[in-house]
Amino acid sequence: MPDTSLHDLIYRFDSKLFIGGAFVAGQGARLPVENPANRTVIGHISATTPAEVEAAVAAARNAFRSWSTTLPATRAKALHRLGDLIAADAFNMATVMTAEQGKPVNAAKGESLKLAAAC
């Protein structure tokens, strides 16, 4: 059973970009995401502007400076924690993937769990 409704999960990230460790409202055009099963619009993604791309690249370069000097054991611990968080939320992730792509929930959950294991 999902922890949050599908609508709430999608709405939380509607037209948002992840830049510099935070979700920010995208400034580009809003592009609809349709459920392929019934063609209803379930949310929107934001087309990035050149300024947003530059900000994301600058943030990634900045983050890499400290990440690249972090001890391997510390990086491994962070990645294991990420894997644990993904595994804990695999059903919610699968529900969103199913709405976006039409993929069966079990297949989508399996994909999320493979990602968790890779971390």
Side-chain angles (χ1 to χ4, degrees):
M1 185 127 242
D3 299 334
T4 310
S5 77
L6 176 62
H7 177 269
D8 291 342
L9 286 168
I10 292 174
Y11 181 76
R12 186 181 320 158
F13 303 107
D14 194 80
S15 299
K16 299 276 177 46
L17 305 173
F18 192 72
I19 299 175
F23 286 98
V24 296
Q27 300 304 306
R30 287 173 38 108
L31 306 173
V33 176
E34 290 184 356
N35 180 323
N38 59 22
R39 308 312 273 173
T40 60
V41 174
I42 59 171
H44 297 84
I45 58 171
S46 183
T48 56
T49 65
E52 290 166 333
V53 171
E54 290 297 324
V57 170
R61 284 185 175 139
N62 187 47
F64 179 74
R65 280 188 213 108
S66 63
W67 182 252
S68 67
T69 61
T70 301
L71 294 173
T74 303
R75 285 188 279 181
K77 186 176 180 180
L79 289 171
H80 286 142
R81 175 73 176 128
L82 176 60
D84 291 344
L85 291 170
I86 291 169
D89 202 37
F91 184 82
N92 286 328
M93 293 173 68
T95 302
V96 172
M97 289 169 63
T98 296
E100 291 176 338
Q101 304 169 11
K103 180 178 281 208
V105 174
N106 284 341
K109 185 176 178 185
E111 190 173 321
S112 297
L113 292 174
K114 286 179 190 174
L115 172 62
C119 291

